[in-house]
Amino acid sequence: MRQAHSVEQIRAAEAALMARLPEGALMQRAATGLATAVLDLLTGTGGAYGRRVLLLVGPGDNGGDALWAGARLARRGVAVEAWQLTERVHREGAQALRAAGGRIHRRTRSLAAAEAPDVVLDGILGIGGRPGLPGAAQEALAAIDALPRRPLLVAVDLPSGVAADTGELDGPHVRADLAVTFGTHRVAHLVDPAAGACGTVHLVDLGLDAHLPDPRVEGVQPADVAALLPRPRPEDHKYTRGVVGVRAGSATYPGAGLLSVAGAACGLAGMVRFVGDAAVAERVRQAHPEVVGEGRVQAWTVGSGGGDDAQRHLREALADGVPTVVDADALAHLEPGDGRDSLVLTPHAGELARLLGVERAAVEAAPLAHVRRAAEQHGSVVLLKGARTLVAHPDGRVRATASGPPWLATAGAGDVLGGLIGALLAAGLAPLDAASVGSWLHGAAATRASAGGPIVAGDVARALSQTLRDLLRPPGSAQSPA
């Protein structure tokens, strides 16, 4: 998992490490990693010698990192200029930059086209900064925006103006192409809306791992999914591999039932059962002849397109006492006593807002806070769908996935996801694992199906099999023919 820690945790770990290192050694490690990342950018776009880098420097350690990195860049033949946006900046870093041939201006200045930087380094605010930007920083960014060609913008640690611990935004902020962070990820790197301002995130190892506690948020990676995927044993049969039941669709929304079954019938469970509208059941049998009718299950997926039947389907599924995915129409029928840690609730922002009695805009502005609140309030795992999906456990653990393309925002995609998570539950995964693995697989299948272009929900379901094969294939083995 990609681990993200709070500001307090990071500062405590840095203090523990600095107690064992010579003074200034940690900043030198950070500056070296930062300079290397910038050199890689420049090398990839025509070479570093003679290129221009502009530093936007504030008063904290991020400004110091930028100044020391600037000194290293200047010694490699880069023309480095720094704009000092506060009265005080890191003294030793400023001295090092001047000694290496870099220039420091105490305020923003107008730039001629010939002076336009290739890279701008955002060292304005550190991880302890409040959301929003001071006036001097806004003035500097306006001068950069006025250039005829936009330079690449690299954030030191994370874009200035975002909240490190919550991923929230409040006012103007930097939007980076690359964020170079140190030691561990910050929550804002993994959680929207701030994550959308970070661009690509590059982690520089500082040796903090031994001093860091459990993370506040984890980012799901392909290796995590491969390790968690259920695999049949030689002695298994269809029942021991797990049976998932689907109660979804209606005469009004028959496609929801078909798509939920398509997600459940990805092969991860040994059998899929469908219970619902007779006309939908007939269409399911035609599309998926392996799907059978009512009987015992190890997990349910309930709610997608359920319409007037959603409440009855939810009550009947919950009466079985097995792990259950509660989606779409069924979410509206949850009652206070329904909460249990074997449930996975899968709302989008509007549905989560209704569950919590708040406005949708509030959920979208602070998704981490609201998904945690919902998980605690319902005593269940809650998966909040989005560009970066968040999965929260009632104990406060949160996982983030960001494997899907923007094309995944299409009708019916959530129905496929619900069925997929139900299959993972039936196969034996714990609710937190089933939800986070299912979310990552869903996004990866969408990426495969899309290939950079539009998709519909059925494309995602059809791409699941090959996505799973790729993950399950032993490392180094030859790919099967396309």
Side-chain angles (χ1 to χ4, degrees), residues 69-416:
R72 285 167 169 74
L73 293 170
R75 289 196 290 269
R76 295 290 297 271
V78 177
V80 181
E81 176 179 332
W83 290 354
Q84 181 176 327
L85 303 181
T86 52
E87 286 298 318
R88 180 178 58 84
V89 295
H90 193 275
R91 185 180 62 183
E92 291 82 1
Q95 291 171 345
L97 177 59
R98 288 192 181 98
R103 296 178 296 161
I104 298 180
H105 295 273
R106 290 191 173 273
R107 60 183 62 84
T108 298
R109 71 182 187 91
S110 297
L111 291 171
E115 300 176 297
D118 299 286
V119 174
V120 174
L121 216 52
D122 163 28
I124 303 168
L125 299 175
I127 58 175
R130 296 178 180 178
L133 290 173
Q138 295 182 52
E139 181 183 348
L141 292 171
I144 293 164
D145 287 341
L147 293 169
R149 176 178 58 82
R150 183 186 182 275
L152 293 170
L153 209 153
V154 177
V156 182
D157 235 344
L158 76 172
S160 294
V162 309
D165 281 351
T166 65
E168 296 171 19
L169 304 175
D170 185 11
H173 60 276
V174 170
R175 181 168 289 277
D177 299 293
L178 172 69
V180 180
T181 194
F182 312 107
T184 183
H185 290 84
R186 286 57 173 144
V187 173
H189 292 136
L190 304 184
V191 174
D192 280 332
C198 291
T200 302
V201 180
H202 172 67
L203 179 64
V204 176
D205 183 14
L206 297 182
L208 290 185
D209 288 357
H211 305 282
L212 287 166
D214 291 339
R216 295 294 175 87
V217 177
E218 292 180 307
V220 179
Q221 303 298 297
D224 306 317
V225 176
L228 287 168
L229 276 177
R231 292 163 170 80
R233 300 162 299 183
E235 66 271 22
D236 272 333
H237 50 77
K238 61 189 177 185
Y239 295 111
T240 60
R241 289 189 59 209
V243 180
V244 56
V246 176
R247 295 177 181 266
S250 61
T252 306
Y253 302 108
L258 285 166
L259 290 168
S260 294
V261 168
C266 60
L268 289 171
M271 180 185 288
V272 180
R273 297 185 182 276
F274 179 79
V275 179
D277 180 87
V280 179
E282 179 58 31
R283 292 181 63 174
V284 167
R285 281 192 289 273
Q286 292 174 3
H288 301 278
E290 72 278 9
V291 174
V292 298
E294 191 165 3
R296 292 185 62 183
V297 301
Q298 279 72 56
W300 282 106
T301 289
V302 180
S304 298
D308 294 337
D309 295 331
Q311 184 174 18
R312 175 173 57 85
H313 284 166
L314 176 63
R315 292 296 123 207
E316 291 172 351
L318 294 181
D320 276 355
V322 298
T324 300
V325 180
V326 183
D327 188 33
D329 293 338
L331 291 166
H333 300 292
L334 283 169
E335 297 177 359
D338 289 337
R340 62 186 78 164
D341 61 9
S342 61
L343 300 188
V344 177
L345 316 184
T346 58
H348 55 57
E351 291 164 338
L352 186 63
R354 288 191 287 276
L355 280 174
L356 295 174
V358 300
E359 295 294 323
R360 179 175 184 140
V363 173
E364 291 173 338
L368 178 60
H370 286 91
V371 74
R372 273 193 170 132
R373 176 183 161 195
E376 181 180 8
Q377 182 173 306
H378 287 273
S380 306
V381 169
V382 178
L383 180 153
L384 174 58
K385 302 168 189 173
R388 288 169 179 80
T389 292
L390 299 180
V391 182
H393 190 276
D395 66 10
R397 286 178 290 162
V398 175
R399 290 179 182 168
T401 62
S403 54
W407 295 110
L408 185 52
T410 186
D415 305 337
V416 176

Side-chain angles (χ1 to χ4, degrees), residues 30-41 65 68-73 121 180:
T32 299
L34 178 58
T36 300
V38 174
L39 285 169
D40 287 345
L41 269 183
D65 294 337
W68 278 110
R72 285 167 169 74
L73 293 170
L121 216 52
V180 180

